């Protein structure tokens, strides 16, 4: 296993659209293991391969309190979205920034599991938010894209300032 470096907004590589996984081989299994380790180490509830500069449609999520229920979604596709919820979001690629985003309350996602078997999951609440946030990453979007241009500009300057004091 290995920790992977996480890209930081506004890195242009976060805008790449990820391509579907065609076969689940050892490289995909290793990617999933490394993404899980990276997500847990960073105390995140989800991670998309895009964030570690791998542009394949792979997502890991763990919204459990105990941090022991790793979910793996390969080629996830939203097939149903119902209702609306608004919650504070954060992102490992946008450290220290939190803001409200409107999302569907309940979603159904079709995906492949690590055995390549087709699965379908209906989720609501935080898990539903996280699924939508991660699929956004695979499509080259970060949650700040949902905010006003003014907020995006402020976030960019705040992160640039942060990077200067950290360096
Ligand atoms: O760790 C994370 N927390 C979070 C909180 C509210 C809404 C979405 C998220 S996902 C985020 C991890 C991350 O950046 N995934 O891409
Ligand atoms: Ni994110």
């Amino acid at each position: 296993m290995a920790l992977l470096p996480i890209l930081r907004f506004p890195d242009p590589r976060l805008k790449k659209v990820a391509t579907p996984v065609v076969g689940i081989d050892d490289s995909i299994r290793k990617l999933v293991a490394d993404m899980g380790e990276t997500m847990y180490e960073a105390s995140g509830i989800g991670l998309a391969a895009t964030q570690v500069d791998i542009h394949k449609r792979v997502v890991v999520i763990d919204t459990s309190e105990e941090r022991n229920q790793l979910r793996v979604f390969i080629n996830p596709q939203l097939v149903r979205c119902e209702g609306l919820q608004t919650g504070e979001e954060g992102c490992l690629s946008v450290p220290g920034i939190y803001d409200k985003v409107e999302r569907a309350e309940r979603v159904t996602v079709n995906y492949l599991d690590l055995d390549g078997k087709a699965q379908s999951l209906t989720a609501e609440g935080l898990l539903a938010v996280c699924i939508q946030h991660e699929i956004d990453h695979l499509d080259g979007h970060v949650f700040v894209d949902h905010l006003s241009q003014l907020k995006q500009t402020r976030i960019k300057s705040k992160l640039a300032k942060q990077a200067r004091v950290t360096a």
Side-chain angles (χ1 to χ4, degrees):
M1 299 234 284
L3 288 176
L4 306 169
I6 298 175
L7 298 177
R8 298 273 182 105
F9 176 81
D11 192 306
R13 292 170 289 182
L14 287 170
K15 293 193 174 188
K16 290 195 188 182
V17 178
T19 57
V21 170
V22 285
I24 294 161
D25 56 12
D26 283 351
S27 78
I28 296 294
R29 283 184 280 267
K30 173 159 175 35
L31 173 64
V32 166
D34 290 347
M35 285 174 61
E37 190 185 4
T38 302
M39 177 188 73
Y40 287 123
E41 199 270 341
S43 301
I45 60 170
L47 189 70
T50 305
Q51 292 176 276
V52 294
D53 202 21
I54 304 288
H55 303 280
K56 291 182 183 160
R57 302 190 79 83
V58 176
V59 162
V60 294
I61 292 178
D62 189 345
T63 54
S64 72
E65 207 65 50
E66 306 76 23
R67 318 279 300 140
N68 61 1
Q69 286 171 50
L70 186 70
R71 297 174 186 270
V72 178
F73 299 88
I74 296 167
N75 300 343
Q77 270 190 302
L78 291 178
V79 294
R80 192 181 170 129
C81 294
E82 293 167 279
L84 288 175
Q85 60 178 322
T86 304
E88 285 265 311
E89 293 197 18
C91 181
L92 295 173
S93 295
V94 196
I97 306 288
Y98 304 88
D99 213 329
K100 285 181 190 164
V101 179
E102 188 176 88
R103 302 280 190 184
E105 166 58 28
R106 179 205 285 258
V107 298
T108 300
V109 59
N110 289 356
Y111 62 99
L112 300 178
D113 65 19
L114 263 183
D115 298 319
K117 189 166 176 260
Q119 301 283 357
S120 186
L121 172 75
T122 297
E124 54 190 34
L126 183 62
L127 179 57
V129 169
C130 195
I131 289 167
Q132 293 169 83
H133 177 116
E134 303 312 338
I135 292 175
D136 262 6
H137 277 302
L138 299 182
D139 291 327
H141 300 299
V142 289
F143 83 93
V144 301
D145 296 351
H146 293 274
L147 306 177
S148 67
Q149 279 304 326
L150 175 63
K151 281 187 176 180
Q152 291 187 33
T153 304
R154 285 180 177 160
I155 289 167
K156 278 180 200 161
S157 61
K158 188 171 172 185
L159 289 175
K161 204 176 206 172
Q162 237 168 250
R164 280 198 298 277
V165 292
T166 313

